[in-house]
Amino acid sequence: MKKAFLKIIILLLITLNGRIMAQQDPMYSMYMLDKMLINPAYTGSSNWLVGTLKYRQQFIGFDGNPVTETFNFHTPIQKRHIGLGFKIINDKTAVTNNLNASLFYSYHLNFAGGKLSIGLEGGIFNRRVDYPKLILTDPVDNSIPLNAMSSLVPDASFGIYYQKKQFYIGYSDYHLIKKNFNYKTTNETQSRLYNHMYLLTGKVFDLSEKWAFEPSMLLKYQAAAPLQLDVNTLLSYHDRIAVGIQYRTGDAVAALLKINILENLRVAYSYDMTISGLSSYSKGAHEIILSYGIKLPPPPAEKEIHPRYYY
């Protein structure tokens, strides 16, 4: 375990010094239930005002494993065909802590028999590194700062999202501003956020009056990380309870359970079983969502996409 943890610390330090690029955004399994987190164009695209709390703990069994806490809110302004929202993400891995706070704006228009949405996200990204908590082989290492340091940079993202009846597809590009983190140290390097691109598509099939089936997939691209594909299936009963499974290439298989406790109160849980080389050390990942929504009446000239599936 100590050797495995040391490897994580070494990789973490290399990443902080900007010598390599890797996946920087938090990992989520249940993004299909909270699409705003991976595409700002989804903001306010349904007839629901929604607030969501999310907690995820990944690579359980490792000291310093990633823990992500998220709160987001979005609502349509129907008379103006826009959506507004915000998010706060607190993501901690080992000695690093990333805090991302953003505002969302989206514009929706009728297009080809469906709804086309374009969204922007803008805010701040603060990265804090708690150097004193590092486990050092050499207690006297002048290259390691003695105090915790943080750096604040602006952040912006863009997305486009289209939905027609029960089909949807969206593309988003995150971290468009290329500004280096500045920790004000003598050995300052070119550490910054790198673009993350997401392509999401899926469709809801009504199997009967009671049952619905939703296959979807998410393609994730980051220049220095392997291309990753998530394949998802979700089976819903009366839109009150749903079970699903996800396969994430090179990483994990996840099981999902969603329960609508009330018409506007939803809880969901997923468990990831690691299938990568870390499977001998990691006990997987847990993710929990608590979401509350208020359904708004659609404008007279606008067709409702679906009463519940796009909550």
Side-chain angles (χ1 to χ4, degrees), residues 268-296:
Y269 167 78
S270 71
Y271 172 74
D272 295 17
M273 181 177 67
T274 306
I275 59 173
S276 69
L278 294 174
S279 59
S280 300
Y281 306 97
S282 172
K283 297 179 182 178
H286 298 289
E287 187 173 319
I288 300 173
I289 289 179
L290 181 64
S291 186
Y292 184 82
I294 299 175
K295 188 178 180 183
L296 306 175

Side-chain angles (χ1 to χ4, degrees), residues 207 211-214 233-237 241-244:
L207 303 179
W211 293 93
F213 177 68
E214 180 181 357
T233 59
L234 191 67
L235 182 65
S236 302
Y237 177 72
I241 186 169
V243 292

